[in-house]
Amino acid sequence: MLDRLPFLIGLRYVRAKRRNHFISFISLTSMLGLTLGVAVLILVLSVMNGFDRELRTRVLGMVPHTRIEVPSGLTDWQPLAERLTQREHVIGAAPYIQQQGMFSVGGRNQGAMVNGIEPEWESRVSIIDEHMRRGSLDELAPGEWNIVLGSLLARQLGVGVGDRVTLLVPEASITPAGVFPRLKRFTVSGIFSVGADLDASLAYANIEDMQTLARMGDAVGGLRLELDDLFQAGGVTRAIIDDLGPGYRGLDWTYTRGNLFQAIQMEKRMIALLLTVIIAVAAFNIVSTLVMVVTDKHADIAILRTIGATPRSIMGIFMVQGLAIGVIGILMGVGLGVLLALTIADLIGFLESTLGISFLDAGVYFISELPSQLLWSDVGNIIAAAFVLTFLSTLYPAWRAARVQPAEVLRYE
């Protein structure tokens, strides 16, 4: 019976109505603080996981995991592409020509990167086929001078499918009339949207058309490689360059998007640390609650001691009470946090449609909608951390309760 005493009395103290309403208020505040702290931490970590996922699937699905280039241009690229796809971690290869230029339509000018691609090969290294809003890459036939624009780029230029745009490249053409910038008229044959900043800065044209425009003959700028594990990009790139020898150079995704990925990871760790402090503050509010409860229950403690309760049992009573408050708050926080993490995208979408505002502008942020990915490993870590903090917060008040001397208390009762 004495073994069950701490649980029976501790849980009864949690349920019992107190004469001192201030103690009840502090107890409720502690519980709600834990609930909000745990819920917000689960929600924020889920959103950060969502950003991380979108970076990998959307942005890095369009940006090559690694590129193998030759400064003077790569000729006879098909055998090299087949050779590289036989390597470990390499699952796809495609040729490309990359050209920085400026589009001009009716007085509107907008800079962008134009990728010359082979439509039949592009799906091996890119997810653009999955994000075509209008048109198709198959319409990028050689000699047709068609072009596919990002949705934001098309909006900024005020063009749609079937309209014509002029591309100016930063190279000069010498003619009998003088030196003129090199330019070419393209017909917009498609529009893609990945919900990222690439929608405002990227366009696709046929690789043969870009070879003609760049006067590269049969050469291409290099090969884009798709890897089964993007975190192996650095090692795979170095190994390929070592095997190919001098004259080749490799650039992996960390040179262009690595800072963004690292920033997300750093922000996730720092936000988790800061929000854990909020949970710690809520958990240690239990200290003040239990201290006041111990003071209020001096007579009860003295009576229990006189009928045989040990200091260890008294300590257990108040630890059980504090842990019960903490566990209730943690479980409520987990329920609320999981619910918000699973529905935050819909909630934000509802607010945007109701208020007529956009919380994430793809022209500013790298995605246009709030992502969320709930990882149960994060939930488990949050529960463990909150429980440990709650347990630590019960030790001092319980220790004080165990030190109460029955004779001193009963003398004044």
Side-chain angles (χ1 to χ4, degrees):
M1 180 65 184
L2 291 177
D3 292 338
R4 299 173 56 194
L5 187 67
F7 294 96
L8 294 175
I9 299 180
L11 294 177
R12 182 174 180 177
Y13 278 173
V14 174
R15 299 192 304 268
K17 295 182 179 180
R18 298 185 178 88
R19 296 184 301 272
N20 190 335
H21 296 292
F22 184 68
I23 298 177
S24 300
F25 174 76
I26 296 298
S27 178
L28 180 62
T29 301
S30 303
M31 191 180 299
L32 293 179
L34 278 171
T35 299
L36 292 177
V38 170
V40 170
L41 185 52
I42 290 175
L43 174 60
V44 171
L45 290 185
S46 298
V47 171
M48 298 305 295
N49 291 332
F51 275 103
D52 179 54
R53 179 195 62 198
E54 294 302 313
L55 174 62
R56 298 188 192 188
T57 58
R58 291 194 185 191
V59 179
L60 295 181
M62 299 287 288
V63 174
H65 290 174
T66 188
R67 296 181 296 177
I68 305 300
E69 300 178 342
V70 177
S72 59
L74 179 64
T75 57
D76 195 21
W77 55 268
Q78 292 92 339
L80 179 60
E82 294 176 1
R83 175 182 164 190
L84 292 179
T85 53
Q86 301 302 315
R87 297 183 65 95
E88 185 181 8
H89 297 300
V90 179
I91 59 177
Y96 75 94
I97 292 177
Q98 201 167 65
Q99 179 69 64
Q100 185 74 39
M102 177 175 289
F103 289 100
S104 178
V105 180
R108 297 183 179 182
N109 299 311
Q110 188 66 40
M113 183 68 71
V114 182
N115 281 343
I117 62 171
E118 184 65 52
E120 295 180 359
W121 289 67
E122 188 64 17
S123 60
R124 305 180 186 184
V125 298
S126 174
I127 61 172
I128 184 174
D129 281 337
E130 304 171 12
H131 295 277
M132 291 297 299
R133 180 175 293 179
R134 297 187 63 187
S136 169
L137 289 183
D138 295 334
E139 298 178 26
L140 298 180
E144 297 292 332
W145 298 98
N146 290 332
I147 197 164
V148 172
L149 303 178
S151 58
L152 292 179
L153 179 59
R155 186 188 308 170
Q156 291 165 352
L157 294 173
V159 297
V161 173
D163 294 332
R164 296 179 65 83
V165 297
T166 301
L167 174 64
L168 293 84
V169 298
E171 297 179 11
S173 297
I174 301 177
T175 68
V179 179
F180 292 93
R182 192 176 304 170
L183 52 87
K184 183 64 182 179
R185 297 272 287 178
F186 285 85
T187 300
V188 178
S189 62
I191 294 175
F192 70 87
S193 175
V194 294
D197 60 345
L198 297 175
D199 293 340
S201 60
L202 190 60
Y204 289 91
N206 186 275
I207 195 168
E208 294 187 22
D209 293 342
M210 295 305 296
Q211 285 174 331
T212 302
L213 183 61
R215 298 178 180 176
M216 295 181 64
D218 295 331
V220 299
L223 292 175
R224 302 171 59 189
L225 303 181
E226 177 84 1
L227 307 181
D228 58 3
D229 184 358
L230 60 91
F231 293 105
Q232 300 290 332
V236 171
T237 303
R238 289 190 295 270
I240 291 175
I241 296 303
D242 291 341
D243 290 345
L244 294 178
Y248 292 87
R249 67 180 182 184
L251 295 173
D252 61 76
W253 67 272
T254 59
Y255 286 93
T256 56
R257 298 285 171 170
N259 290 337
L260 180 58
F261 181 81
Q262 293 172 2
I264 291 176
Q265 294 299 310
M266 178 62 71
E267 289 175 2
K268 180 180 177 181
R269 288 191 289 267
M270 294 305 298
I271 289 175
L273 177 61
L274 293 175
L275 293 179
T276 302
V277 173
I278 296 177
I279 295 178
V281 171
F284 282 101
N285 278 340
I286 296 175
V287 175
S288 58
T289 300
L290 293 183
V291 166
M292 288 187 288
V293 171
V294 169
T295 303
D296 191 53
K297 300 295 184 181
H298 269 190
D300 295 2
I301 295 170
I303 293 172
L304 288 172
R305 290 294 306 277
T306 59
I307 63 175
T310 64
R312 182 176 179 179
S313 297
I314 298 299
M315 189 172 180
I317 290 172
F318 292 97
M319 289 181 66
V320 168
Q321 181 182 359
L323 288 174
I325 294 172
V327 168
I328 294 172
I330 292 170
L331 293 179
M332 290 172 58
V334 169
L336 179 60
V338 170
L339 178 64
L340 289 175
L342 295 176
T343 60
I344 187 64
D346 295 332
L347 290 175
I348 294 298
F350 173 76
L351 290 176
E352 288 181 338
S353 61
T354 302
L355 302 177
I357 60 176
S358 178
F359 290 98
L360 291 175
D361 185 355
V364 178
Y365 305 98
F366 78 93
I367 60 173
S368 58
E369 57 187 29
L370 189 66
S372 178
Q373 182 182 20
L374 179 66
L375 297 181
W376 291 109
S377 58
D378 286 343
V379 176
N381 291 333
I382 293 169
I383 292 174
F387 184 82
V388 169
L389 291 172
T390 301
F391 174 78
L392 293 176
S393 69
T394 65
L395 294 180
Y396 173 71
W399 175 78
R400 283 194 56 178
R403 287 174 57 86
V404 172
Q405 297 299 322
E408 293 294 327
V409 174
L410 295 177
R411 179 185 302 174
Y412 299 102
E413 290 294 331

